Amino acid sequence: MGCPRCGAESGPAPETEPTAIRLVRGRAAWCSECESNYDVWVRKHAGDIVWPALCGMVVVAVVGVGLPILGVGSLVAALGAFAGFATVFALSRLTRRRRRRQFLLAPLPRAYLPAPK
């Protein structure tokens, strides 16, 4: 099966490949070179974690702190922490999917230059 990005033949992950790339390759089926290029490209968007983290904090503040102050049971406070984590997790997954689609639509470089050592 070929890589959907560059068309290269994608085989099993070599043992020298980082674990993070091997884990993602199983789902994405990209070759290791495209995964490495994506890893470098996505670091430019490291600020993507800010909005999911802020939304998770708002959920924790409203559900976990605000509702018990208004008289709702204390079990709601514990559920607020889980709801905040779920919010951060869901928004992070949506952002990751969006960035991977953006990377697929980005043009391939004319010449591949290996990273400096």
Side-chain angles (χ1 to χ4, degrees), residues 10 20 30-31 35 39 42 50 72-73 90 98 104 106 112 114 116:
S10 61
W30 288 357
C31 64
E35 279 296 339
D39 188 43
V42 81
V50 173
V72 179
R98 183 173 54 97
L104 275 175
Y112 171 73

Side-chain angles (χ1 to χ4, degrees), residues 41-101:
W41 178 83
V42 81
R43 288 173 194 267
K44 296 175 186 172
H45 306 283
D48 285 348
I49 190 63
V50 173
W51 287 107
L54 287 175
C55 292
M57 287 189 311
V58 167
V59 168
V60 168
V62 170
V63 177
V65 177
L67 290 179
I69 289 175
L70 295 175
V72 179
S74 61
L75 181 62
V76 173
L79 294 177
F82 288 112
F85 173 73
T87 302
V88 170
F89 183 72
L91 290 176
S92 296
R93 286 186 57 94
L94 289 173
T95 302
R96 186 177 353 142
R97 286 182 186 161
R98 183 173 54 97
R99 290 292 180 202
R100 287 183 81 80
R101 271 184 269 137

